[in-house]
Amino acid sequence: MAYDRSQRVYLRLRASSASSGIDFEIAPNPAFVDEDVRVCVRGLAASALLSIQAATEDDQGRRWSSLGRFRADSDGVIDSSLRESCGGSYRGVAPMGLLWSMESAAASADGNSSFAKNNSLPDRVDFEALIDGCVLARTSLARNFLAPGTATRDLKTPSEAKDFGARAGAGTSSGAGETTVGRLFIPPGRGPHPVVIVLSGSGGGFDLDKAALLSRHGFATLALAYFGIAPLPTWLHRIPLEYFEAALTWLSAQPEIDSRRVGILGVSRGAELALLLGSTFPQIRAIVAYAPSSVAWAASGRDKSTGELIPCWTWRGKPVPFTPLPLRGFMWRSAFPVVALKRPVMFRDLFRAGLRNRKAVERAAIPVEKIRGPILLISGGDDHLWPAAEMSEAIIARVQREGGAHATEHLHFAHAGHMLRYPHLPVTARDSRNKHLRGARFSFGGTPAADAEAQTQAWRRAIAFLHANL
């Protein structure tokens, strides 16, 4: 059961200087992170020009801030969800623009320019109302990921595990010498609950924040790492699908979980994996794939001892057939714009070149027709990481050609890029670095406004899709 909004308090918080006669009204407060919030300022002169500044910190302690400039209505009120911003970090009417338009000088300087959030702890946003640089009112908004009463349980594996594909969940009774590789969020209310496995992309590790937020909609969620933390592989290569089979077995043993209603939500390489798992394990009944792939891809680089290409995935001790990446030619073509012009890499062209290898693509195509439930595909038309929109259409074509029994939906956003997460996160970063891609600076594509709209619509459709099919 999702958390009842009526349990929360809507706060009207007065200015720190009561003599100004100006106050903020935030509703709801506290709010869930994916919830729309109204930010109003009252007590102004009619048509007064006022700036509202919003600021927060990410998990790396970096400050993010935005500014909107608004003109009060005839009653001396500014409602940022209705009034046009005539300057600052965004322009026009954007109900949540003060949140998604935040920028960070520190994040841009260190190269990891995406908003860092990977835990389920609440965020705080501080607001200031300013005229001519003078602060007239202050207030704060609490933003929660978890519904009250949510329980958590960790999936552990022995820290020295070698064959981790068979050991997920095989922890010791004492808990000593174990590493957490997954975290289960169990929503309040009577179970058993449907469960959604949440898979990250090429950044590795957990998507704890996403899994926590999804759980507030009434799903149990398992944020599951599959590389990037010890004892798992340090980078994306030779990941055994048996590891996920073990995780499914562990889930089925949890009394709060309905093992007949299992879904997966994956992003980018995690979406590729989600489709592979759905075509392998019949327990999976619904898949949400953000920026998916229609084929299994090779890992980057070659085996140093044999010189052979390295698979990303294995099953029963053998490589899952993959499409190789023509890295050498791509790196030569990318050298001038990257080195001389200081531009980020657009990996999309690399994957498009790989897709022209028809024999490899035919061999490595994910057999999505075997998936025993509906699929929701989400793509951006300006994705610079890989051609997710084209690969989504290839997935639909294969389902139709091979006689897949379940519906496949493609939710496409023409002007959005690759980095679609969940609503109301800062989306001003246009590129970033990835330690698992040798520190390369790569371009996401899209625009802040297009990405903000896309990730809000996609998130809401994904939740409705999961409710309808689990």
Side-chain angles (χ1 to χ4, degrees):
M1 178 181 293
Y3 181 41
D4 183 357
R5 285 182 46 162
S6 66
Q7 296 179 46
R8 285 170 297 153
V9 179
Y10 287 64
L11 299 180
R12 181 170 176 165
L13 301 176
R14 291 210 160 265
S16 55
S17 174
S19 61
S20 70
I22 296 170
D23 65 318
F24 271 102
E25 184 179 292
I26 309 285
N29 189 7
F32 288 113
V33 169
D34 59 353
E35 224 174 351
D36 289 350
V37 175
R38 291 184 63 196
V39 178
C40 299
V41 179
R42 300 184 182 276
L44 298 163
S47 301
L49 187 62
L50 177 112
S51 296
I52 300 177
Q53 180 172 277
T56 192
E57 284 191 355
D58 68 10
D59 284 356
Q60 296 180 12
R62 303 177 301 186
R63 186 176 187 272
W64 293 73
S65 64
S66 64
L67 185 77
R69 295 190 178 95
F70 306 91
R71 192 169 294 279
D73 63 18
S74 58
D75 296 322
V77 176
I78 290 173
D79 183 340
S80 66
S81 66
L82 301 175
R83 304 295 289 180
E84 177 184 10
S85 173
C86 54
S89 55
Y90 75 99
R91 290 179 176 270
V93 178
M96 300 297 286
L98 287 168
L99 297 181
W100 61 252
S101 70
M102 288 183 178
E103 299 176 290
S104 172
S108 298
D110 68 20
N112 296 312
S113 56
S114 295
F115 185 84
K117 182 65 184 180
N118 196 28
N119 63 47
S120 57
L121 298 176
D123 283 341
R124 190 184 79 183
V125 182
D126 297 319
F127 293 94
E128 293 182 339
L130 307 98
I131 293 180
D132 296 330
C134 296
V135 178
L136 304 178
R138 290 187 175 94
T139 194
S140 296
L141 165 67
R143 303 177 72 212
N144 295 324
F145 287 83
L146 291 173
T150 300
T152 62
R153 186 174 302 142
D154 286 351
L155 168 60
K156 296 177 180 290
T157 192
S159 298
E160 302 301 322
K162 300 298 183 183
D163 181 17
F164 78 90
R167 298 295 295 278
T172 66
S173 58
S174 66
E178 294 181 336
T179 298
T180 296
V181 295
R183 179 157 297 158
L184 179 65
F185 296 90
I186 305 167
R190 186 176 180 179
H193 305 282
V195 63
V196 180
I197 300 171
V198 178
L199 302 172
S200 62
S202 59
F206 305 95
D207 271 352
L208 292 175
D209 52 332
K210 188 180 296 175
L213 189 59
L214 185 60
S215 74
R216 79 99 172 172
H217 292 278
F219 305 102
T221 58
L222 176 65
L224 183 62
Y226 54 99
F227 77 99
I229 59 171
L232 307 182
T234 56
W235 56 288
L236 182 53
H237 76 297
R238 296 191 177 99
I239 309 296
L241 300 188
E242 288 87 348
Y243 170 72
F244 306 95
E245 185 177 34
L248 287 166
T249 300
W250 180 84
L251 277 174
S252 68
Q254 308 310 305
E256 303 90 348
I257 302 305
D258 185 346
S259 59
R260 299 166 301 175
R261 295 187 289 165
V262 180
I264 300 186
L265 186 151
V267 178
S268 190
R269 297 308 294 262
E272 173 188 332
L273 173 59
L275 295 168
L276 275 173
L277 296 177
S279 65
T280 305
F281 302 117
Q283 303 97 308
I284 297 165
R285 296 306 177 95
I287 295 175
V288 177
Y290 280 76
S293 173
S294 54
V295 302
W297 292 96
S300 59
R302 291 178 178 268
D303 188 297
K304 291 182 179 180
S305 61
T306 65
E308 295 180 348
L309 293 170
I310 304 171
C312 276
W313 322 106
T314 66
W315 175 234
R316 294 176 177 170
K318 296 181 180 180
V320 171
F322 56 81
T323 300
L325 293 167
L327 282 166
R328 182 171 298 178
F330 174 78
M331 296 308 293
W332 277 107
R333 289 190 297 273
S334 301
F336 180 75
V338 171
V339 176
L341 302 179
K342 307 298 183 183
R343 293 177 181 170
V345 180
M346 290 178 58
F347 282 104
R348 178 177 60 192
D349 293 339
L350 171 64
F351 288 96
R352 279 181 172 157
L355 290 171
R356 289 194 286 271
N357 186 340
R358 293 185 179 180
K359 289 185 178 179
V361 166
E362 183 178 350
R363 184 174 62 252
I366 300 170
V368 288
E369 70 278 2
K370 295 182 180 179
I371 295 172
R372 293 161 179 81
I375 306 167
L376 174 61
L377 308 168
I378 298 166
S379 71
D382 193 37
D383 188 328
H384 288 183
L385 262 292
W386 66 8
E390 298 162 34
M391 293 191 289
S392 295
E393 288 302 308
I395 290 167
I396 291 174
R398 182 180 177 97
V399 169
Q400 294 173 344
R401 183 175 67 251
E402 301 296 333
H406 298 283
T408 304
E409 176 185 348
H410 181 196
L411 188 60
H412 178 66
F413 301 94
H415 303 293
H418 188 81
M419 280 291 288
L420 303 182
R421 295 166 73 182
Y422 47 81
H424 315 328
L425 278 181
V427 289
T428 50
R430 296 297 91 205
D431 59 74
S432 192
R433 298 185 191 276
N434 186 319
K435 65 181 180 181
H436 301 296
L437 295 175
R438 301 180 182 178
R441 181 167 157 254
F442 56 92
S443 174
F444 298 138
T447 67
D451 285 6
E453 180 66 19
Q455 67 184 15
T456 297
Q457 289 191 31
W459 183 253
R460 290 171 180 168
R461 177 65 192 116
I463 290 165
F465 171 86
L466 292 168
H467 275 304
N469 294 292
L470 290 179

